[in-house]
């Protein structure tokens, strides 16, 4: 493990003043004791000198300090520059502040200034902390990313909404109409339901395709690219509830090949990934070429079944990502479906244990999948970690987690012979709770077909979905 600070670095170089601690810095650090009349102690001076030397070394180094995903998550929402009324800048809170104010005082000049707080619909400090924290996570280099110089220091433009479905609608409202979506054949039923019942009358159309077959996706894109407006390639990986895995990088590369061809209608193709089942500590779609990534923060990011929140991050590395970010900010402010400060605060709290929870959930899900896959009453088990899974090879490359061994998520589903048997299994469980949603500390089981709209039901009637919790 790399040491955070080496004592040998405290030695002052001969005839050099470059590494001497700044008197201003030391004075600021010890302002509290100075104001009380006490002389700065040698021990205080030593601590401030070491702090200044470490800062100077980092500034001079061509190799930037790289923070791991686990460390980023453990410190989510913490600031080193919080204006907390202290006489020094070191008494920062170790829990993110919860700002409930809806409006903010206007300066005497009448000018709020660039970035000034006006009204919480347009900006809230707690929401901004969450958006920045998730934006940093989405730009963390993946294990397989050897050329990640553009990552880690960059924050993806990120926007928090009042629910995952509000995030979905906001992304589509940000697109130039008419909008056509290519969605996976297996997808969270809320997406086609929203498209069919609410957005269909507003110029938003959709078509279901096999998103695991890039050739099919490419053909469908070619059929639609000549039309005006925006074509959205909507990926969901793993999919809900059959755990299908889309090769995000392959699809994004295929989209790029079509984008560079002449386009008379000046239409736009966006790649959007719903990565709710694979949070940033498993998969980071922006590093795979996607223009945007969505999460239902209600699930893994919050992680305690007490948050209603959606989040969307746009890529700062693609032209379409930057285009979408500007328009999505306008939609967030004008439509106003923003996440509440308290839900943002709860999600920040959840982020600080995300890596630990997900690691445990992945381990338990793998054991359950292996057990169910061999059970005589189970007809089929769907889990990307099983070698029998049709996209297992893609999952091994894409769902890498914190190591190269694979992190296949905490969600799985399995099929029994009939709907009656599925309901009987769900009715007989003791520790597992019968409920919808996912990503919490408790294991949940759900019969999906009975909750999906009958006219758009895609789940097999004998299928049960499991969200694996933290139990033994």
């Amino acid at each position: 493990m790399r040491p955070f600070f080496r004592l040998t670095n405290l030695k002052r170089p001969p005839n050099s003043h470059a590494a001497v601690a700044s008197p201003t810095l030391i004075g600021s650090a010890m302002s509290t004791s100075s104001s009380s009349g006490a002389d700065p102690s040698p021990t205080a001076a030593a601590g401030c000198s070491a702090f200044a030397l470490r800062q100077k070394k980092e500034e001079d180094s061509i190799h930037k300090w790289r923070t791991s995903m686990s460390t980023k998550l453990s410190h989510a929402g913490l600031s080193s520059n919080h204006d907390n009324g202290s006489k020094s800048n070191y008494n920062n809170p170790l829990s993110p502040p919860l700002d409930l104010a809806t409006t903010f005082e206007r300066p005497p000049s009448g000018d709020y200034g660039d970035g000034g707080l006006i009204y919480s619909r347009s900006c809230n400090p707690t929401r901004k902390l969450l958006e920045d924290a998730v934006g940093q996570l989405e730009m963390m280099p993946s294990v397989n990313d050897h050329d990640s110089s553009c990552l880690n220091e960059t924050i993806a433009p990120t926007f928090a909404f009042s629910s995952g479905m509000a995030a979905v609608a906001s992304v589509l409202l940000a697109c130039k109409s008419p909008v056509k979506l290519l969605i996976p054949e297996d997808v969270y039923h809320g997406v086609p339901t929203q498209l069919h019942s609410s957005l269909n009358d507003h110029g938003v159309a959709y078509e279901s395709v096999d998103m695991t077959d890039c050739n099919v996706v490419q053909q469908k894109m070619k059929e639609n690219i000549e039309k005006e407006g925006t074509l959205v390639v909507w990926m969901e990986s793993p999919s809900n509830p059959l755990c299908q895995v889309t090769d995000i990088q392959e699809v994004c590369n295929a989209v790029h090949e079509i984008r560079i061809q002449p386009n008379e209608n000046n239409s736009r193709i966006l790649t959007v990934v719903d990565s709710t089942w694979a949070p940033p500590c498993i998969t980071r779609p922006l590093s795979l070429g996607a223009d945007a990534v969505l999460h239902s923060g209600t699930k893994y990011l919050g992680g305690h079944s007490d948050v209603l929140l959606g989040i969307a991050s746009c890529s700062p590395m693609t032209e379409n990502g930057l285009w979408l970010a500007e328009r999505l900010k306008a939609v967030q402010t004008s439509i106003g479906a923003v996440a509440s400060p308290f839900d943002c605060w709860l999600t920040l709290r959840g982020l600080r244990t995300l890596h630990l929870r997900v690691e445990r959930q992945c381990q338990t899900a793998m054991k359950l999948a292996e057990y169910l896959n061999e059970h005589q009453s189970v007809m089929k088990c769907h889990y990307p970690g099983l070698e029998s899974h049709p996209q297992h090879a893609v999952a091994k490359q894409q769902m890498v987690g914190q190591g190269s061994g694979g992190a296949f998520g905490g969600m799985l589903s399995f099929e029994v012979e009939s709907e009656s048997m599925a309901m009987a299994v769900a009715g007989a469980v003791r520790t597992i709770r019968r409920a919808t949603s996912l990503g919490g500390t408790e294991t949940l089981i759900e019969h999906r077909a009975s909750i999906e709209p009958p006219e758009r039901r895609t789940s097999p009637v004998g299928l049960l979905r499991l969200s694996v919790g933290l139990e033994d």
Side-chain angles (χ1 to χ4, degrees):
M1 181 179 293
R2 180 179 177 180
F4 178 70
F5 188 82
R6 298 181 188 274
L7 291 178
T8 54
N9 293 335
L10 289 173
K11 295 180 180 179
R12 179 177 173 180
N15 303 319
S16 172
H17 298 283
V20 176
S22 162
T24 303
L25 179 61
I26 297 176
S28 174
M30 298 188 297
S31 61
T32 303
S33 61
S34 297
S35 63
S36 63
D39 293 330
S41 68
T43 53
C48 291
S49 294
F51 178 82
L53 287 167
R54 190 264 294 164
Q55 281 192 320
K56 181 62 179 174
K57 182 180 179 184
E58 288 186 2
E59 290 171 2
D60 293 343
S61 175
I62 60 172
H63 303 292
K64 295 297 183 182
W65 179 266
R66 304 189 68 181
T67 309
S68 70
M69 173 66 74
S70 296
T71 302
K72 284 279 190 189
L73 285 166
S74 299
H75 291 230
L78 300 188
S79 171
S80 58
N81 297 299
H82 188 71
D83 183 10
N84 53 45
S86 171
K87 294 180 180 179
S88 76
N89 196 36
Y90 298 95
N91 299 125
N92 295 298
L94 293 182
S95 177
L98 173 58
D99 286 290
L100 296 173
T102 57
T103 190
F104 303 86
E105 186 176 9
R106 191 170 184 174
S109 66
D111 182 11
Y112 280 102
D114 186 26
L117 298 172
I118 302 175
Y119 190 62
S120 60
R121 175 161 47 81
S122 57
C123 186
N124 171 273
T126 307
R127 190 171 82 236
K128 185 68 164 58
L129 285 176
L130 173 64
E131 290 171 341
D132 286 351
V134 174
Q136 286 183 330
L137 297 175
E138 295 293 357
M139 295 304 293
M140 292 287 289
S142 65
V143 173
N144 296 330
D145 193 353
H146 302 296
D147 181 18
S148 54
S149 57
C150 62
L151 304 176
N152 201 34
E153 298 297 323
T154 309
I155 298 178
T158 299
F159 310 94
F161 297 92
S162 55
S163 69
M165 293 311 299
V168 172
S170 296
V171 167
L172 298 180
L173 286 172
C175 295
K176 184 179 179 181
S177 64
V179 180
K180 172 71 176 286
L181 278 83
L182 299 181
I183 65 172
E185 291 176 339
D186 184 55
V187 67
Y188 167 55
H189 75 83
V191 173
T193 296
Q194 182 186 88
L195 296 173
H196 182 269
S197 62
S198 300
L199 298 181
N200 187 47
D201 293 334
H202 299 278
V204 180
Y206 72 96
E207 183 177 353
S208 298
V209 301
D210 181 1
M211 205 63 69
T212 65
D213 188 334
C214 193
N215 292 327
V216 172
V217 178
Q218 202 165 17
Q219 181 58 40
K220 288 296 181 182
M221 285 191 289
K222 291 177 180 178
E223 293 174 7
N224 288 277
I225 190 56
E226 297 302 324
K227 301 174 183 177
E228 293 183 356
T230 309
L231 177 64
V232 182
V233 181
W234 190 276
M235 292 168 268
E236 184 179 280
S237 188
S239 67
N240 181 359
L242 295 179
C243 299
Q244 295 177 352
V245 178
T246 297
D247 191 329
I248 298 170
Q249 190 165 37
E250 184 181 30
V251 172
C252 290
N253 288 342
V255 169
H256 178 71
E257 290 299 317
I258 294 178
R259 278 177 181 161
I260 61 178
Q261 297 174 10
N263 182 354
E264 294 182 0
N265 290 320
N266 204 25
S267 56
R268 190 180 296 269
I269 311 180
L270 289 179
T271 51
V272 179
V273 180
D274 183 342
S275 196
T276 296
W277 281 25
C281 52
I282 294 180
T283 301
R284 292 178 286 287
L286 300 188
S287 69
L288 300 173
D291 295 316
V293 55
L294 274 71
H295 295 275
S296 173
T298 306
K299 313 312 194 278
Y300 285 102
L301 303 189
H304 292 78
S305 302
D306 55 8
V307 166
L308 189 63
L309 184 141
I311 204 147
S313 299
C314 302
S315 175
M317 301 178 292
T318 69
E319 178 186 346
N320 282 343
L322 293 171
W323 175 86
L324 181 63
E326 183 178 349
R327 297 172 68 93
L328 193 54
K329 176 59 181 174
V331 169
Q332 185 192 45
T333 302
S334 61
I335 300 298
V338 294
S340 75
F342 188 50
D343 279 335
C344 291
W345 186 88
L346 287 172
T347 306
L348 281 167
R349 180 205 61 179
L351 286 180
R352 294 173 76 170
T353 58
L354 175 65
H355 52 301
L356 300 175
R357 290 185 283 108
V358 168
E359 181 179 20
R360 174 67 178 268
Q361 288 162 323
C362 287
Q363 292 171 352
T364 306
M366 187 75 241
K367 292 177 181 177
L368 276 172
E370 290 173 339
Y371 169 78
L372 291 168
N373 199 44
E374 298 298 325
H375 198 284
Q376 61 181 5
S377 297
V378 173
M379 299 171 62
K380 188 180 296 184
C381 182
H382 306 279
Y383 186 65
L386 295 173
E387 292 186 4
S388 58
H389 189 281
Q391 294 94 40
H392 177 67
V394 175
K396 284 181 67 176
Q397 293 295 316
Q398 190 166 280
M399 304 177 72
V400 294
Q402 295 293 292
S404 58
F408 301 107
M411 295 297 300
L412 62 100
S413 60
F414 63 97
E415 298 178 44
V416 293
E417 64 179 5
S418 67
E419 184 172 8
S420 297
M421 185 173 183
M423 296 299 283
V425 171
V429 295
R430 181 186 297 113
T431 302
I432 299 173
R433 302 302 181 106
R434 293 174 294 277
T436 194
S437 198
L438 56 103
T441 60
E442 64 288 327
T443 298
L444 304 179
I445 192 168
E446 182 177 40
H447 181 250
R448 290 298 295 173
S450 58
I451 202 172
E452 295 174 352
E455 67 276 13
R456 288 183 302 280
R457 183 176 293 166
T458 59
S459 296
V461 294
L463 181 138
L464 290 165
R465 191 187 72 180
L466 278 176
S467 169
V468 178
L470 302 181
E471 304 92 342
D472 292 328

